């Protein structure tokens, strides 16, 4: 078995108002069932989800957190503004974003943007994925899946990987429960987070720095589904043992 993964060439520096779907269709010949994986940073830029630090007035709370964490109070204010819940305040801000992802600094990024500006996450990553998927269909007639990713750290492990934060045309997990292993044992737990595995694979080609390759096409994995939204990958609060341990102590 095999699959292919390739970067889409010639993506310019993305600015507010750019039509990402058009850029992708112009620079890649897409096929039915391709999975188009896009780094959130360019989706955010296209959507104008960029802020200027100089325009942010930090609250007393942001100033206190920034002092404790040795960070910029305006950056901290942006993180607070983008967060639905704070799970850890120090030594770094671990928060739940409005999209549901629990991550450091609400996914706000000071890299791959000119100094003094920061990139927020897309307002609604699932909605962004859906729009891009629909636009690709109207431009090419091809039915693809779209995954929007961010680079996140993990609990318990050093190093960061690509994770999915918004999806369209694919289900977040492949449920193995009820099927058998090599010895006929029924699998009771296995529910494979395929969108995260695909995000991590694509991230290998994105790079984190100056590569300028924010879009990867994955071809040869058959995970297409007429489905929307990544919500199912986040635990409901009652089942989120680690979150509850952090919040309740
Ligand atoms: P994130 O993981 O979504 O936060 O994005 P990164 O900052 O890690 O960037 C992922 C990839 O996108 C890297 O190859 C960057 O060089 C590239 N990238 C970021 N912004 C742009 C842009 O505006 N245009 C192009 N062509 N590439 C970009
Ligand atoms: Mn990021
Ligand atoms: Mn990254």
């Amino acid at each position: 078995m095999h699959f292919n993964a390739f970067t889409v060439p010639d993506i310019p520096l993305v600015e507010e108002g750019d039509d990402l779907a058009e850029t992708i269709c112009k620079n890649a010949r897409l096929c039915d069932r391709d999975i188009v994986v896009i780094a959130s940073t360019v989706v955010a830029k296209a959507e104008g989800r960029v802020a200027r630090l100089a325009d942010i007035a930090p609250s007393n709370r942001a100033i206190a957190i920034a002092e404790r964490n040795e960070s910029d109070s305006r950056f901290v204010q942006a993180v607070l503004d983008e967060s639905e819940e704070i799970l850890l305040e120090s030594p770094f801000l671990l928060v739940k974003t409005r999209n549901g992802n629990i991550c450091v600094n609400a996914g706000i990024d000071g890299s791959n943007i000119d100094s003094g500006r920061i990139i927020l996450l897309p307002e609604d990553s699932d909605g962004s994925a859906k729009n891009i998927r629909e636009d690709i269909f109207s431009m090419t007639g091809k039915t693809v899946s779209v995954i929007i990713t961010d680079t996140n750290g993990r609990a318990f492990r050093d190093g960061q990987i690509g994770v999915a934060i918004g999806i369209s045309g694919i289900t977040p997990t492949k449920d193995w429960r009820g099927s058998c292993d090599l010895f006929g044992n029924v699998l009771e737990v296995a529910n494979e987070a395929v969108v995260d595995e695909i995000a991590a694979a694509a991230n290998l080609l994105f790079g984190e720095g100056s590569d300028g390759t924010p879009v990867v096409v994955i071809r040869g994995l058959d995970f297409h589904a007429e489905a929307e939204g990544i919500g199912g990958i986040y635990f409901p609060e009652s089942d989120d043992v680690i979150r509850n341990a952090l919040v309740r102590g």
Side-chain angles (χ1 to χ4, degrees), residues 39-41 109 111-112 149-152 160-162 203 206-209:
S40 56
T41 188
D109 219 319
S111 56
N112 283 314
T149 72
D150 193 16
T151 305
N152 279 187
Q160 303 85 37
I161 62 172
N203 202 73
F206 292 158
E208 302 292 345

Side-chain angles (χ1 to χ4, degrees), residues 28-156:
R29 195 168 303 169
L30 295 173
C31 298
D32 282 323
R33 293 182 178 262
D34 280 350
I35 304 170
V36 179
V37 193
I38 311 170
S40 56
T41 188
V42 289
V43 177
K45 284 182 191 171
E47 293 176 353
R49 293 275 295 158
V50 167
R52 198 170 289 285
L53 282 174
D55 296 339
I56 299 173
S59 61
N60 288 337
R61 183 178 184 206
I63 292 167
I65 295 171
E67 211 153 276
R68 203 165 153 212
N69 293 354
E70 294 177 7
S71 55
D72 185 310
S73 58
R74 301 162 304 172
F75 184 90
V76 168
Q77 185 62 51
V79 174
L80 296 179
D81 291 343
E82 291 297 313
S83 301
E84 200 175 87
E85 185 185 20
I86 314 290
L87 278 76
L88 258 187
E89 214 172 81
S90 197
F92 51 79
L93 276 160
L94 179 70
V95 307
K96 183 175 188 174
T97 65
R98 283 191 294 273
N99 284 310
N101 193 32
I102 292 177
C103 60
V104 172
N105 289 338
I108 299 175
D109 219 319
S111 56
N112 283 314
I113 184 104
D114 46 309
S115 102
R117 291 204 296 165
I118 52 174
I119 309 172
L120 316 175
L121 289 182
E123 180 95 53
D124 167 17
S125 303
D126 281 330
S128 306
K130 183 169 189 277
N131 289 339
I132 293 170
R133 187 167 98 95
E134 287 173 353
D135 290 349
I136 288 174
F137 182 78
S138 18
M139 288 174 207
T140 63
K142 302 296 179 192
T143 301
V144 303
S145 310
V146 171
I147 299 178
I148 295 174
T149 72
D150 193 16
T151 305
N152 279 187
R154 289 99 37 92
F156 311 116

